[in-house]
Amino acid sequence: MYRYVVIDDESLIRRAIVKKIASLGLPLAWVGEAEDGEEGLDLALRESPDIVLTDMRMPAMDGISLLHALSEQKPDAALIVISGFSDFEYTREAIATNVIDYILKPFDNKELHAALEKAINFHREKENKRKSDQERELEMDRERLSAWLCRGGADEQLQSLTKQYRSATIKGLLGANSFAVGLLTLPDSHARLFPNVEDADRTLSGSTGEYIVRLPHPERTDTALIVIGSQMEAEKKVRTMLSQTIEEVRRSGGEAVGAASRSYGKLEELRMAYREAWSLLDHRPFGQWTGLLQESGAVYKKMDGCWPCRDDLLYEIEVGHVQQALYMTGELFKYIRSLDGATLAQAKQYCVQLARDIAKVDNQEREDEMNDDDLGLITSMRQAMDPMELEHQFTELVRTISERVLALLPTAAGQIGQVKHYIDLRYSQPIRLEEVAERFYLHPVYLSMVFKESMGETFQDYLKRLRMERAKQLLSSTKYRIDRIAGMIGYDNAKYFYKVFKKEIGLTPAEYRKSQGTIE
């Protein structure tokens, strides 16, 4: 409700205004009235109304003096002038003091309603702006704290950094006596189950002095980062929150892995709490696993045993056997999952070392000699937070390097690598097997045979798969018309594209787009 006062030297008019306002059904509450400017100013200073309705010609202090005084001492009040005079001087002064509206007596309910709505909207806009400013302030503080907490570098003294924070939520968090950090990885489809994912931060309470804040992880969009500050042991709250969410995810058929740090009593130890939680998450069991990781004092060792087919994988890559190399990559991860007690950290260590050996096949002896794509994949392996991500990055490295080796081999198989590269660049154009064979001085039948032998699929199947993958990407990430997408991936006939897409994907383009949450 918005509070208002009425200032007029005639009591009948004051009562009539209050009665009219009561009949309008607006969110307004009357808090007082006054019969002259001096009494009206005292009333406004005492009651701090949101809206002031005032006459202009009054004894003791007239309306002009009152408007100036209110503009200086109550700048947040919305001023409405109700007067029987319309001379220029009054109008000019009303404009100079930011009066919301100027109503001439006599007036009807419609005019009064319009003026009061302007005053209400004036306050709502100010409230929205204040809320927006607070939200921006909080968002900047969350990003600043997250960067300090998660990124490496010098251990700046957080006490000196606290001066940079302006939001009450972050200041309250940093003023707690006990801190703990929680990390949680879970599928996007289950993100709604985690407290604070939708509401980026939540202050539990003023009286308890407990703060729960979700920070945006600077590198990991799939990882929820929670910081709790309380007057008692914060780790219990972290463990309870994570355990509840993990159980909900498990009941709904998903997987989630959480890690909770111990409680730390000093503000400068907050980064230590984060590192502890990160280390726990890094040492999760490698296979399918859902649960909460807590500090146990365990000493982690290197992965026992060495994959017996390591040299076979290196050979398949060296001779450009792409499909066989990818098959053996799958066997590698089956082997790791079969090891008793294997952790994600151990698998990452082994895969990164093997990745370096694979790069040597392509004459990249050291990481500083690697091209950016290969180095990026190895970096992603080090940062992987779940087994599937590690397997994906490692598989991409094997595929990239074995295909590069294949393209350089002075054989027909080597030419297939060049053909593949040619298709990858021109799939959006009409491509025929005969034209490609002519370009590479090969017989179409021979090209078809060697392509299938090297790639594990026919020329047409590979081209179709490439186009369908691009179509799915465009359907889920753009609002382009479907016939335009068809043209962008090499189909001149949109109806034919429709038919092929339905056959390969099982959905029409429109149905697929809807399933991805993209609005046409």
Side-chain angles (χ1 to χ4, degrees), residues 189-220:
S189 58
H190 292 79
R192 60 182 174 78
L193 298 176
F194 189 66
N196 289 348
V197 166
E198 295 299 327
D199 300 323
D201 65 278
R202 177 163 54 111
T203 301
L204 290 181
S205 115
S207 59
T208 63
E210 185 174 77
Y211 292 84
I212 300 176
V213 179
R214 180 178 188 268
L215 301 179
H217 198 287
E219 280 95 25
R220 307 289 313 191

Side-chain angles (χ1 to χ4, degrees), residues 281-395:
L281 206 56
D282 204 32
H283 285 86
R284 57 164 287 179
F286 187 77
Q288 285 191 332
W289 189 82
T290 294
L292 178 63
L293 299 158
Q294 304 176 49
E295 180 60 45
S296 63
V299 178
Y300 301 107
K301 302 176 181 179
K302 288 187 177 181
M303 191 168 65
D304 292 333
C306 179
W307 183 42
C309 299
R310 171 187 173 279
D311 291 341
D312 295 332
L313 172 61
L314 293 176
Y315 169 77
E316 298 297 349
I317 295 172
E318 188 174 351
V319 296
H321 290 171
V322 180
Q323 293 304 312
Q324 187 61 18
L326 293 175
Y327 169 78
M328 297 198 67
T329 298
E331 293 299 303
L332 165 63
F333 284 91
K334 287 181 182 177
Y335 171 77
I336 296 175
R337 290 187 179 93
S338 71
L339 295 175
D340 184 32
T343 68
L344 175 62
Q346 293 165 346
K348 287 199 293 187
Q349 184 180 37
Y350 185 82
C351 287
V352 167
Q353 181 55 56
L354 183 53
R356 291 198 192 103
D357 295 335
I358 291 171
K360 292 177 183 178
V361 173
D362 196 31
N363 296 316
Q364 300 180 96
E365 293 293 331
R366 301 191 309 273
E367 286 194 15
D368 58 5
E369 294 176 341
M370 290 185 183
N371 65 47
D372 291 342
D373 290 340
D374 295 349
L375 187 57
L377 289 169
I378 290 180
T379 300
S380 296
M381 287 181 217
R382 290 193 178 103
Q383 297 174 350
M385 293 302 295
D386 65 71
M388 289 182 63
E389 182 182 356
L390 175 62
E391 183 171 358
H392 172 73
Q393 300 297 345
F394 187 86
T395 301

Side-chain angles (χ1 to χ4, degrees), residues 120-135:
I120 291 171
N121 289 335
F122 166 79
H123 281 291
R124 284 174 175 167
E125 288 174 5
K126 291 187 71 172
E127 289 165 4
N128 289 337
K129 183 179 184 303
R130 182 164 53 247
K131 184 178 180 181
S132 179
D133 289 343
Q134 291 173 347
E135 288 174 349

Side-chain angles (χ1 to χ4, degrees), residues 319-323 402-424 433 436-437 440-459 462:
V319 296
H321 290 171
V322 180
Q323 293 304 312
S402 57
E403 287 180 351
R404 192 184 302 141
V405 170
L406 174 63
L408 295 175
L409 292 177
T411 64
Q415 283 185 291
I416 296 305
Q418 297 173 16
V419 169
K420 177 185 176 299
H421 184 64
Y422 179 84
I423 298 172
D424 290 347
L433 174 66
V436 177
F440 288 92
Y441 307 103
L442 297 170
H443 192 281
V445 175
Y446 180 74
L447 172 58
S448 178
M449 179 185 67
V450 177
F451 190 96
K452 184 174 182 180
E453 182 181 327
S454 298
M455 300 300 297
E457 59 187 327
T458 67
F459 177 94
Y462 176 78

Side-chain angles (χ1 to χ4, degrees), residues 137-185:
E137 204 172 71
L138 176 58
E139 185 63 26
M140 290 176 63
D141 280 356
R142 289 170 65 237
E143 291 178 358
R144 183 180 293 118
L145 180 58
S146 177
W148 177 85
L149 192 62
C150 303
R151 291 195 170 123
D155 284 340
E156 305 95 335
Q157 289 295 315
L158 188 56
Q159 278 88 347
S160 64
L161 297 180
T162 54
K163 299 176 182 178
Q164 303 175 19
Y165 298 103
R166 301 179 62 184
S167 65
T169 299
I170 301 300
K171 285 184 176 179
L173 172 71
L174 300 180
N177 296 328
S178 178
F179 304 95
V181 172
L183 291 169
L184 183 72
T185 63

Side-chain angles (χ1 to χ4, degrees), residues 425-439:
L425 293 177
R426 293 169 178 80
Y427 68 89
S428 60
Q429 305 168 17
I431 297 179
R432 294 174 57 247
L433 174 66
E434 292 76 8
E435 294 172 355
V436 177
E438 183 179 355
R439 179 178 181 84

